[in-house]
Amino acid sequence: MQSEHQGPFHCFRDDAMGEDDATALAARIRAGEVSALDVTKAAIERAEMAQAVINGMVATDYDRSLSLARSLTKPEAPFAGVPTFIKDNTDVQGLPTRHGSAAVPSNTASKTSPFAEQMLAQGYLCLGKSTLPEFGFNATTEPAHGAATRNPWNLQYSSGASSGGAAALVAAGVVPVAHANDGGGSIRIPAACCGLIGLKPTRGRVVDNEAAKTLPINIVSDGVVTRSVRDSAGFIAAADEYLRNPALPRVGHVQGPSGKQLRIGVVLDSVTGHKTDPKTRKTVEATARYLEKLGHIIEPMDVPIPASFPDDFALYWGLLAFGVKLQGRKLMHPQFDKRQVDGLTNGLESMFRKKLWKLPAALWRLKRSQQDYARHMSQYDAVLTPVLGQTTPPLGHLSPTVPFDQLFERLTRYVCFTPLANTTGAPAISVPMALTDAGLPVSVQFMARHGDERTLLELAYALEADHRLPLISNLGDRRYAGDVAVMV
């Protein structure tokens, strides 16, 4: 459905939710200042208001969330009573899981996936399922078979992907936090497009989803997108308590910036050879200057990957498409219809078939990337990069209806900084830092050593303190300091 509303759009209102983040909302519920039931009712009203404009939902579970809210008498979990959405590639018992594809028939999950159980154990109430592009392969949420998910900051632009529905719902104020997962940037990219915090955890930090267990290299991490650093910090602290991985250092509950001096490498251009666009470059440079003023050591850094990495990752991307088409009936639904997959999935599969002979060497190099990255990072506490090679594109630019060769070229120019964290398993975070002339957020990415989400959150807190973007509902109350947007 084509929305008549011209962005920005939001549904923040004077209701039980207000403009609270998840941390504040949970605290008010615990204190009895507001009931979980009133919060859930307010979120449902917002969801219905937003759906006609941004199209971020594919299924709802209002009755069950209302019932759970009514029964919540002792909200002890850290986010008890806070409404959320689960992405539609993750099972929730009683709801369909269609992976954003017309090839997957409508179905009802018989059980809740392990990660969804981990997230909901924090007290969140699931209102339904959020949109994604087919199988999470694209960097925009605009399926060939249905309506696009629109960016609340400017409705003519992409909300990113693959967790585009989650990011749009959070940015618009429907819920303060939503589930996202990331196999090549799918937490960080939509967070960047929609002005949110998007933390991709270290591999093994949270429960693996079932799809990840079948991959030759587990590139998928689950997490959330949020409007505040403290919500992301609260999520990862609770996740760390739920799953104690002895191979990783504990994160703990990070509650603010650290006073320690860090050595931070800066990468401005991708190993693909494509130059970062001027607005994105200026935003990264302005962030580096600010960090230097805070006392950190900032220096240029070589890209910690070989020149073969883009082609190797593209081949792995193609392997995933090949696997989906080959095993769709086993992995997703007995009536999976591969004839209905979109142009991007078909194009990736075709590309993979032509280059299949290169796979063994590519897999070897991708697996080795974890050691290569660790070696490069031995002298650094973090690395600062763009999230994306270009600012957020308008709807249609990355549509799966674009001829594959043209679309693939556009995607490789756009998604050129995020995949490294997926193959290496390193943690990475997207932090919004500026706005374009079209009113769209521009974000930066930090990556850290394996297991060091703490440093990423501390850096994000330091930036948020002085460079927080306004909520969409307060867009009239902003000014600019250099190239960085700051709250008045």
Side-chain angles (χ1 to χ4, degrees):
M1 178 174 60
Q2 179 79 17
S3 171
E4 296 180 359
H5 188 106
Q6 301 298 309
F9 166 83
H10 73 86
C11 50
F12 290 102
R13 321 167 60 187
D14 184 16
D15 57 16
M17 295 180 68
E19 293 186 348
D20 284 339
D21 66 358
T23 302
L25 198 55
R28 289 175 60 219
I29 293 171
R30 279 194 299 273
E33 296 175 11
V34 65
S35 72
L37 181 59
D38 285 343
V39 167
T40 303
K41 288 179 178 178
I44 290 170
E45 289 181 3
R46 292 184 183 201
E48 290 300 297
M49 182 191 311
Q51 181 63 6
V53 181
I54 61 171
N55 188 45
M57 304 184 298
V58 292
T60 60
D61 201 10
Y62 297 158
D63 289 343
R64 179 161 48 175
S65 61
L66 287 167
S67 177
L68 290 171
R70 286 189 188 96
S71 65
L72 188 64
T73 56
K74 293 183 179 180
E76 297 175 353
F79 294 104
V82 175
T84 194
F85 283 85
I86 300 294
K87 186 174 171 180
D88 192 34
N89 61 1
T90 301
D91 286 344
V92 174
Q93 185 180 27
L95 291 178
T97 305
R98 298 196 63 187
H99 298 271
S101 177
V104 182
S106 185
N107 61 84
T108 299
S110 60
K111 62 180 181 179
T112 298
S113 70
F115 174 80
E117 287 184 343
Q118 179 182 25
M119 180 175 172
L120 296 177
Q122 298 186 15
Y124 294 107
L125 302 182
C126 176
L127 298 185
K129 306 291 285 291
S130 62
T131 56
L132 74 156
E134 183 168 272
F135 311 124
F137 290 156
N138 207 341
T140 187
T141 305
E142 41 187 309
H145 65 278
T149 298
R150 296 175 177 274
N151 191 320
W153 292 82
N154 187 319
L155 296 174
Q156 306 311 310
Y157 285 77
S158 170
S159 64
S162 64
S163 309
L169 291 166
V170 173
V174 177
V175 291
V177 59
H179 166 232
N181 47 31
D182 192 317
S186 294
I187 293 174
R188 293 158 287 158
I189 293 169
C193 293
C194 294
L196 305 175
I197 303 297
L199 172 65
K200 186 203 86 69
T202 303
R203 182 161 51 217
R205 177 70 71 190
V206 302
V207 176
D208 280 341
N209 69 40
E210 292 172 346
K213 297 175 183 177
T214 67
L215 301 175
I217 303 173
N218 179 6
I219 61 172
V220 181
S221 290
D222 284 84
V224 292
V225 287
T226 69
R227 291 197 300 266
S228 69
V229 177
R230 67 179 184 174
D231 281 358
S232 290
F235 164 80
I236 206 70
D240 207 19
E241 288 294 330
Y242 184 96
L243 174 68
R244 300 286 290 278
N245 186 340
L248 297 174
R250 291 191 63 189
V251 180
H253 197 163
V254 185
Q255 300 190 47
S258 166
K260 63 185 179 183
Q261 184 185 65
L262 302 177
R263 188 181 184 197
I264 302 173
V266 178
V267 175
L268 291 171
D269 294 309
S270 166
V271 72
T272 62
H274 301 307
K275 293 291 183 182
T276 303
D277 75 1
K279 179 63 178 180
T280 304
R281 177 182 289 268
K282 287 180 180 179
T283 301
V284 176
E285 291 172 339
T287 304
R289 290 193 297 270
Y290 180 75
L291 292 170
E292 201 163 36
K293 289 179 182 178
L294 293 181
H296 300 299
I297 300 169
I298 308 297
E299 58 187 56
M301 178 183 181
D302 292 333
V303 181
I305 49 176
S308 61
F309 182 84
D311 289 340
D312 291 342
F313 191 83
L315 188 62
Y316 195 78
W317 194 8
L319 170 65
L320 299 182
F322 172 80
V324 163
K325 289 189 68 176
L326 184 67
Q327 297 289 329
R329 291 187 176 184
K330 178 180 179 181
L331 297 174
M332 296 180 189
H333 194 282
Q335 295 178 343
F336 175 87
D337 185 357
K338 65 181 181 181
R339 297 169 299 178
Q340 295 194 54
V341 302
D342 69 21
L344 177 58
T345 301
N346 278 325
L348 289 169
E349 183 219 18
S350 177
M351 178 186 71
F352 172 76
R353 287 180 179 275
K354 293 174 183 176
K355 300 179 179 180
L356 173 61
W357 61 276
K358 296 183 177 181
L359 183 62
L363 288 176
W364 182 83
R365 288 189 294 266
L366 290 174
K367 289 178 180 178
R368 192 185 64 183
S369 67
Q370 180 171 346
Q371 288 71 42
D372 292 341
Y373 177 80
R375 186 169 59 253
H376 273 84
M377 289 298 293
S378 63
Q379 302 300 314
Y380 294 92
D381 298 293
V383 56
L384 166 65
T385 79
V387 179
L388 294 155
Q390 302 166 352
T391 56
T392 305
L395 290 169
H397 182 73
L398 298 176
S399 168
T401 61
V402 172
F404 176 74
D405 289 345
Q406 184 179 13
L407 175 58
F408 187 76
E409 170 68 13
R410 290 176 178 180
L411 284 169
T412 54
R413 286 177 175 270
Y414 186 53
V415 184
C416 48
F417 291 96
T418 53
L420 178 61
N422 298 92
T423 59
T424 64
I429 194 169
S430 172
V431 181
M433 287 296 293
L435 290 171
T436 69
D437 291 340
L440 292 157
V442 183
S443 297
V444 300
Q445 174 180 242
F446 291 96
M447 299 173 63
R449 299 170 187 166
H450 289 81
D452 194 13
E453 287 93 337
R454 170 170 284 273
T455 291
L456 298 180
L457 290 165
E458 289 171 345
L459 282 167
Y461 270 120
L463 295 176
E464 183 182 55
D466 288 324
H467 301 84
R468 186 171 185 168
L469 293 186
L471 293 179
I472 296 175
S473 58
N474 298 317
L475 279 178
D477 299 325
R478 72 171 187 259
R479 63 186 170 85
Y480 290 90
D483 293 302
V484 182
V486 230
M487 287 291 289
V488 172

